[in-house]
Amino acid sequence: MKRGAAPAAGYAQRWPDKDEVSIIPAREALERLREGNRRFVSGVRSGGTLVSQMRRSGLAAGQEPFAIILGCSDSRVPAEIVFDQGLGDLFVIRVAGNIVAPSQVGSVEFAAERFGTRLVVVLGHSQCGAILATLEELGRPSETQSRNLRSIVDRIKPSVEALLTPELGQHPSTLLQQAVLANIRVSANHLRHGSDVLERLIRTDGLLVVGAEYSLETGVVEFFDGVPGAG
């Protein structure tokens, strides 16, 4: 369905059929994100992104996001801004620590199947508070932590426990940096191998799941896990 088309009478939205969706290949979507991040770092917004704000009424009829972003809830890492994208461009799922739980997997499955989106990015970031809270909990368990916060920490623990060596323990900033990267890798791998739907789309329909880290200090997004052609 065309982005500017009006919904059928009596319906708020009509889901497009498979042959109506313009599927953007994963590699092309990845390059769009890279280009957008370069614009963000340079402080120059795309004219197309600015115009896209005027597409609001047209997008009420449907959406065709070209990338799915599973990112952290941190207020400093809004995906649409750091990738310089507009309304309807990204399907964004945000949760502290960019963890992967059933609701996040289901959200990714929904977008990948419903909209034909072929790129999934797990976006973590430097100085992540959820990762730091997990490292602190591993070093000094708290009895006052709420069960809801603990559910997040418990999701992160398996990806960072192996890093708690005497060597890294002497360098807290390096430990945190390595833990952030490890957690991104584990989350991306979980999406690749923890869902029959996503496994099928990866195997037969060109779905790509990559891991990336956003630097709070520089604004640069580095794609480092599962990237085609990476060494």
Side-chain angles (χ1 to χ4, degrees), residues 32-87:
R32 283 195 188 188
L33 293 182
R34 284 176 163 147
E35 290 174 357
N37 181 242
R38 285 193 286 267
R39 291 193 300 270
F40 169 72
V41 172
S42 300
V44 179
R45 291 202 69 187
S46 163
T49 300
L50 295 173
V51 171
S52 73
Q53 306 306 312
M54 300 169 60
R55 293 191 288 125
R56 182 175 57 199
S57 60
L59 285 167
Q63 59 177 311
E64 295 178 20
F66 72 83
I68 302 164
I69 312 292
L70 172 57
C72 183
S73 298
D74 193 294
S75 63
R76 299 164 293 180
V77 197
E80 291 88 349
I81 293 178
V82 303
F83 289 121
D84 188 33
Q85 301 301 320
L87 290 173

Side-chain angles (χ1 to χ4, degrees), residues 12-33:
Q13 185 173 36
R14 180 178 72 84
W15 300 117
D17 295 329
K18 290 286 186 183
D19 58 359
E20 293 180 298
V21 176
S22 299
I23 295 178
I24 297 175
R27 290 183 184 232
E28 180 181 337
L30 183 58
E31 187 54 33
R32 283 195 188 188
L33 293 182

Side-chain angles (χ1 to χ4, degrees), residues 141-154:
S142 169
E143 297 180 359
T144 60
Q145 194 175 69
S146 79
R147 65 178 183 178
N148 299 306
L149 178 55
R150 187 173 296 279
S151 69
I152 295 174
V153 169
D154 286 346

Side-chain angles (χ1 to χ4, degrees), residues 132-193:
L132 180 58
T134 302
L135 293 173
E136 290 174 345
E137 179 67 15
L138 286 168
R140 189 170 53 221
S142 169
E143 297 180 359
T144 60
Q145 194 175 69
S146 79
R147 65 178 183 178
N148 299 306
L149 178 55
R150 187 173 296 279
S151 69
I152 295 174
V153 169
D154 286 346
R155 289 274 176 185
I156 298 173
K157 275 183 180 180
S159 64
V160 303
E161 284 178 314
L163 298 173
L164 296 178
T165 64
E167 292 77 17
L168 278 179
Q170 308 252 337
H171 304 280
S173 61
T174 301
L175 174 59
L176 177 57
Q177 179 185 30
Q178 292 300 313
V180 166
L181 298 179
N183 183 61
I184 294 168
R185 290 190 183 97
V186 168
S187 292
N189 201 50
H190 188 160
L191 289 177
R192 295 184 194 111
H193 303 292

